[in-house]
């Protein structure tokens, strides 16, 4: 007797462990989540200030945006442990709005961008992630690592010489601590020790306080004072759409990256909805909007080992406490400590296996080309979205080019029958790239009066192929010859019958 197993629960696919409840019941897991949130909060402060300067707004705008988005995405997002806050990609998109129209138009742009993200999520845009090939994903990860590294370089120029041994010491600490204990995140140990050394010895090195003024009050509700007219919509809509697309693309790519690192599945549509809602809330409290932060997410997931929404929530909560209550302490943290943390994140993020000589020898050249296009475009433009889009386009073109050569046509003459017959066998998948040359593979003048085209080993995918077959039949008929198409599968036959004769073939 055969045992009948119950059907798997589809919800189990998205059940990510440890859950929040499991973490709350485990002192070890809870400690890990709390400390990870603290490390991320410390790393978020200078980043949020820097992105505020890129966008041309007051540092408190970026900091409030980081707090609101991190806390809201902890409840609304679909990928536990992923960090969302103000980002450079979004800052670059919205900077012209602030410069040309002012703060009120910026807030309106951010809120509209969030609403567009919600609409895109409801339309199922998250499902398009399945069409991003692995070579683009590898290029995305490598470009991200390079950008994280490059972003730290300004902190190493025109600085006191003490900065360099501090960075080196931070890297050594983060290398040694995991070998001794994993109870405390190595980046937190490095930040605390280096800060203590700088304070005790009174060294004069760049600190977090030098990056910008920290806010002194809680974020307040902000209603943008803009006229509700089509003119206003015409001003903000292009920037809102660009912000929505860039933010969703970067967030969904980051969610997929975390899925791969943790071997779990996240709810991409919920994440897209959460990103939209977080941006609306960010704008409502005077924030500049943002999306998933890949560097901080890597600190949280890879460097600190966090796995639940607790770390994401606490990153936002700690951020607010640090800048409002412990601002004097945060201000003395040396930037060298945070640079060391980001260097470690950059090194850990890069897919070193992808550039090994043995890997490059085995990998198809087209795959390597797509990865390089993604990396170069991203690093050149400092825009992950542009790099990914160009990488996907390159992958599509190279894939179509490869598949086009998989189609073949073989010819034989059956001279034993009463009437000589030319038999053609079409083998392969027929679509626009492979069917364009189909018409050139037949001997129209040399063939006998009867032609049979065997389609049993092929499949028609688009109207271009139907048009090509119509053109072949027409060429033979113009020479007084008869053509029979045989062996089509059911789907191909239905598709061909619906379109044949109505595509304007050659007459």
């Amino acid at each position: 007797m055969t045992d009948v197993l119950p059907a798997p629960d589809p919800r189990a696919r998205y059940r990510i462990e440890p859950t929040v409840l499991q973490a709350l019941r485990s002192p070890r897991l809870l400690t890990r989540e709390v400390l990870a949130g603290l490390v991320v909060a410390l790393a978020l402060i200078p980043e949020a200030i820097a992105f505020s300067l890129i966008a041309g707004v007051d540092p408190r705008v970026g900091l409030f945006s980081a707090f609101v988005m991190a806390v809201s995405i902890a409840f609304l997002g679909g990928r536990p442990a992923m960090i969302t806050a103000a980002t450079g990609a979004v800052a670059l998109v919205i900077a012209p709005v602030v410069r040309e129209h002012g703060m009120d138009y910026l807030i309106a742009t951010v809120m509209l961008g969030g609403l567009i993200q919600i609409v895109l999520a409801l339309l199922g845009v998250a499902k398009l992630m399945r069409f991003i090939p692995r070579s683009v994903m590898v290029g995305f990860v490598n470009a991200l690592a390079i950008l994280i590294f490059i972003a730290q370089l300004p902190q190493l120029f025109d600085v006191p010489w003490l900065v360099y041994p501090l960075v080196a010491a931070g890297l050594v600490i983060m290398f040694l601590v995991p070998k001794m204990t994993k109870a405390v995140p190595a980046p937190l140990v490095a930040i605390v020790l280096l800060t203590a050394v700088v304070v005790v010895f009174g060294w004069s090195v760049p600190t977090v306080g030098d990056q910008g003024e920290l806010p002194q009050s809680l974020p307040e509700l902000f209603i943008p004072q803009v006229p509700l007219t089509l003119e206003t919509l015409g001003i903000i809509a292009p920037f809102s759409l660009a912000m929505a697309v860039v933010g969703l693309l970067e967030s969904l790519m980051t969610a997929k990256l975390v899925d791969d690192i943790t071997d779990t599945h996240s709810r991409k549509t919920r994440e897209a909805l959460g990103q939209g809602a977080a941006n609306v809330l960010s704008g409502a409290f005077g924030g500049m909007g943002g999306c998933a932060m890949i560097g901080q997410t890597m600190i949280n997931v890879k460097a600190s080992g966090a796995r639940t929404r607790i770390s994401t929530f606490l990153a936002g909560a700690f951020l607010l406490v640090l800048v409002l209550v412990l601002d004097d302490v945060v201000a003395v943290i040396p930037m060298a400590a945070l640079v060391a943390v980001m260097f470690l994140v950059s090194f850990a993020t890069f897919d070193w296996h992808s550039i090994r000589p043995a890997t490059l020898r085995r990998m198809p050249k087209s795959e390597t080309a797509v990865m390089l296009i993604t990396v170069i475009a991203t690093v050149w433009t400092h825009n992950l979205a542009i790099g990914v889009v160009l990488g996907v386009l390159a992958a599509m073109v190279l894939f179509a080019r490869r598949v086009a050569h998989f189609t073949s046509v073989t010819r034989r003459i059956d001279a034993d029958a009463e009437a000589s017959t030319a038999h053609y066998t079409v083998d392969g998948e027929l679509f626009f790239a492979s069917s364009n040359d189909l018409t050139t593979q037949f001997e129209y003048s040399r063939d006998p009066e009867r032609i049979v085209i065997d389609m049993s080993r092929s499949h028609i995918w688009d109207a271009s192929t139907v048009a090509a077959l119509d053109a072949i039949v027409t060429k033979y008929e113009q020479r007084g010859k008869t053509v029979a198409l045989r062996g089509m599968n059911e789907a191909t036959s239905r598709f061909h019958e619906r379109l044949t004769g109505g595509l304007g073939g050659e007459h």
Side-chain angles (χ1 to χ4, degrees), residues 189-252:
V189 176
I191 292 170
V192 171
L193 289 180
L194 292 183
T195 302
V197 168
V198 168
V199 171
V200 168
F201 289 97
W203 291 341
S204 179
V205 294
T207 63
V208 171
D210 298 331
Q211 305 303 303
E213 184 183 353
L214 299 177
Q216 304 296 321
S217 61
L218 291 168
E220 299 175 351
L221 198 63
F222 189 106
I223 305 299
Q225 300 300 312
V226 296
L228 300 177
T229 62
L230 289 177
E231 182 183 359
T232 301
L233 184 62
I235 292 171
I236 68 174
F239 296 101
S240 295
L241 180 61
M243 171 193 162
V245 172
V246 168
L248 275 186
L249 186 56
E250 196 159 328
S251 298
L252 293 175

Side-chain angles (χ1 to χ4, degrees), residues 147-448:
L147 287 178
I148 292 174
F149 181 84
I150 292 173
Q152 311 313 310
L153 296 182
Q155 300 293 338
L156 299 178
F157 294 117
D158 297 324
V159 294
W161 68 270
L162 283 169
V163 167
Y164 305 111
L166 283 173
V167 172
L171 291 171
V172 171
I173 291 169
M174 288 184 287
F175 177 75
L176 294 177
V177 167
K179 297 182 180 300
M180 296 183 286
T181 178
K182 293 186 178 180
V184 182
L188 180 59
V189 176
I191 292 170
V192 171
L193 289 180
L194 292 183
T195 302
V197 168
V198 168
V199 171
V200 168
F201 289 97
W203 291 341
S204 179
V205 294
T207 63
V208 171
D210 298 331
Q211 305 303 303
E213 184 183 353
L214 299 177
Q216 304 296 321
S217 61
L218 291 168
E220 299 175 351
L221 198 63
F222 189 106
I223 305 299
Q225 300 300 312
V226 296
L228 300 177
T229 62
L230 289 177
E231 182 183 359
T232 301
L233 184 62
I235 292 171
I236 68 174
F239 296 101
S240 295
L241 180 61
M243 171 193 162
V245 172
V246 168
L248 275 186
L249 186 56
E250 196 159 328
S251 298
L252 293 175
M253 289 288 285
T254 305
K256 190 173 187 300
L257 179 60
V258 177
D259 288 353
D260 293 340
I261 291 171
T262 59
D263 293 324
T264 55
H265 297 279
S266 57
R267 297 179 184 273
K268 303 298 190 301
T269 297
R270 177 176 171 179
E271 182 60 39
L273 286 168
Q275 290 290 329
N279 272 308
V280 172
L281 290 170
S282 171
F285 285 94
M288 58 182 277
C291 61
M293 296 193 75
I294 308 168
Q296 274 63 26
T297 298
M298 290 300 100
I299 292 175
N300 198 42
V301 174
K302 217 165 187 179
S304 302
R307 289 294 183 270
T308 76
R309 300 175 186 274
I310 296 173
S311 59
T312 306
F313 172 79
L314 289 178
F318 279 140
L319 172 65
L320 192 65
V321 172
L322 288 170
V323 298
L324 293 181
V325 180
L326 302 175
D327 53 327
D328 291 337
V329 175
V330 171
V332 299
I333 294 174
M335 286 302 297
L338 298 176
V339 168
V341 171
M342 297 311 289
F343 276 166
L344 177 68
V345 170
S346 173
F347 181 83
T349 301
F350 197 91
D351 186 349
W352 296 100
H353 180 267
S354 67
I355 59 171
R356 289 178 183 169
T359 304
L360 294 174
R361 281 195 300 269
R362 290 196 306 268
M363 194 69 65
K365 288 183 172 58
S366 60
E367 299 279 322
T368 303
V370 169
M371 181 190 74
L372 289 175
I373 289 170
T374 305
V375 170
I376 293 170
T378 301
V379 174
W380 186 269
T381 63
H382 282 239
N383 190 318
L384 290 162
I386 291 176
V388 170
V389 169
L390 289 178
V392 171
L393 290 175
M396 290 168 59
V397 171
L398 292 172
F399 175 75
R401 185 171 176 270
R402 285 176 60 194
V403 173
H405 297 297
F406 291 160
T407 302
S408 63
V409 178
T410 55
R411 174 180 180 264
R412 68 179 176 82
I413 301 295
D414 185 0
D416 297 333
E418 295 181 5
S420 183
T421 304
H423 289 269
Y424 285 90
T425 301
V426 182
D427 196 339
E429 304 299 311
L430 299 173
F431 65 111
F432 64 91
S434 60
S435 62
N436 279 337
D437 296 330
L438 196 61
T439 56
T440 65
Q441 300 188 52
F442 290 81
E443 303 286 349
Y444 301 103
S445 299
R446 295 174 54 195
D447 280 341

Side-chain angles (χ1 to χ4, degrees), residues 4 38 100 128 156 186 215 316 397 409 444 457 484:
V4 179
L38 179 57
E100 297 172 16
L128 297 177
L156 299 178
V397 171
V409 178
Y444 301 103
R457 297 170 66 180

Side-chain angles (χ1 to χ4, degrees), residues 124-134 136 256 388 391-393 395-396:
V125 71
K127 295 177 182 176
L128 297 177
M129 286 300 296
R130 71 186 68 179
F131 297 110
I132 296 180
R134 182 185 178 278
V136 173
K256 190 173 187 300
V388 170
V392 171
L393 290 175
M396 290 168 59

